[in-house]
Amino acid sequence: MRTRTLGAATVSAVGCGDLSLVVAAARNLDLTALTRALHHAVAVGISLVEVAAEEGAERIAGDAIRALRMRDRVVVATHLPRFAHRLGIARREILTEQLPLGHVQERIEATLRNTRLDALPLAILPLRASWRESTAWPELAGACMRLVREGKVMQWAHLLDDEPATAPDTSGVAAEPFVATAGTFNLCQRDRVVTLARRPLAGGAFAGTLAPGTTLALRDDRLAIDPATLESFAIAAAHLAPLVRNEPPAARSCDAARTVLARGRRPADVEATTLADLALRWVIDAGAIALPRLHRVADVDAAVAAASARPLSPATHSRIDGVFPQLDT
């Protein structure tokens, strides 16, 4: 399996992304299967586990790492949420209100208790690029570094998921204590440079299963996706279908996608097995660590296969790059 450097650690080029009991429950995913998939992932060599800011998820991740005696080999990446404002009080995008020092300290302590780890291997701080210009920024950065010196956090990353798509990349800014940038990064959202690529399959769009007519659980967050966006997912799947051996179901889910599929030209050498395989390998080839949600053992095995495969050829990358301008017209 390919690997990546993450600060002082070396981790697998694919990890378990966004371990969330809330999302799992909303999508009717069995907790036992979710836990089994996590244990399997760690056992087969996946060495980065991203955990949502939920007490239950943090407990499950910590329990798995301790049970498998992998504390020295697996990086658990936990999220530090912004301060929850009280009802009736205006929420302002100001650093001192979103990430007050007391809140940062309390959340780190709570996560340590939940995971029962000696130190948090990687803590992810939600950070707007503009906040680095705040007069409060040096104090917050100093507090983060103090937590490292105290042995409570080993490394920090910053999350830019709430930034506009055109936000400047800040991963190269010499602003301690960050060793990595986390953000949404996939075939259609690729206008930034990140270390930790969240949502590499765009919620299932690049698994080839999310399209018009897809049946979802009653509380699934993806029910909010509008029909036009679902159709665009299907068209994307149809454009990419000739590049994979197993045709994605979404490619035949609507008339527009079927029209695109009929015009598709299959290359002589088809390098990827599934659309998810293609999408994950593209993210890994970009130098990022892919963090798909791995809810089932089969998902884990497919992700490991993608991270173990050779890089996609320049010809395949060229075909992929040619798809998205077409989708915009």
Side-chain angles (χ1 to χ4, degrees), residues 35-59:
T35 304
R36 186 182 302 118
L38 175 60
H39 280 249
H40 179 63
V42 173
V44 298
I46 288 180
S47 53
L48 177 62
V49 177
E50 180 202 16
V51 186
E54 302 168 8
E55 180 178 343
E58 291 171 348
R59 288 186 184 281

Side-chain angles (χ1 to χ4, degrees), residues 230-291:
L230 287 173
E231 183 171 289
S232 72
F233 290 162
I235 293 171
H239 275 292
L240 296 169
L243 300 179
V244 301
R245 298 185 189 94
N246 299 340
E247 182 182 289
R252 295 185 181 273
S253 62
C254 62
D255 290 341
R258 287 190 289 270
T259 298
V260 170
L261 184 65
R263 297 198 304 259
R265 178 177 54 84
R266 186 173 291 271
D269 181 18
V270 178
E271 302 174 61
T273 302
T274 65
L275 185 55
D277 179 36
L278 183 75
L280 290 177
R281 288 167 67 181
W282 182 89
V283 168
I284 293 169
D285 286 355
I289 301 167
L291 293 175

Side-chain angles (χ1 to χ4, degrees), residues 177-239:
F178 302 116
V179 300
T181 301
T184 299
F185 184 70
N186 52 51
L187 284 169
C188 64
Q189 292 175 280
R190 47 183 179 168
D191 55 353
R192 57 176 61 173
V193 177
V194 299
T195 314
L196 306 174
R198 308 184 77 227
R199 302 186 73 243
L201 301 180
F206 293 118
T209 57
L210 192 59
T214 300
T215 301
L216 300 171
L218 290 177
R219 293 182 295 160
D220 196 307
D221 55 296
R222 295 170 295 181
L223 287 170
I225 301 174
D226 61 89
T229 300
L230 287 173
E231 183 171 289
S232 72
F233 290 162
I235 293 171
H239 275 292

Side-chain angles (χ1 to χ4, degrees), residues 55-95:
E55 180 178 343
E58 291 171 348
R59 288 186 184 281
I60 286 176
D63 289 347
I65 300 308
R66 290 195 316 279
L68 296 170
R69 295 188 173 92
M70 290 287 188
R71 279 181 285 189
D72 296 331
R73 296 177 56 187
V74 175
V75 172
V76 178
T78 54
H79 283 266
L80 194 154
R82 295 182 183 181
F83 183 69
H85 286 247
R86 289 174 296 178
L87 293 176
I89 298 178
R91 183 183 181 91
R92 299 187 296 173
E93 291 296 327
I94 299 175
L95 178 60

Side-chain angles (χ1 to χ4, degrees), residues 104-117:
V104 171
Q105 180 77 40
E106 290 170 7
R107 286 303 310 168
I108 292 299
E109 298 286 356
T111 303
L112 284 168
R113 290 193 298 271
N114 294 337
T115 59
R116 290 192 289 169
L117 296 174

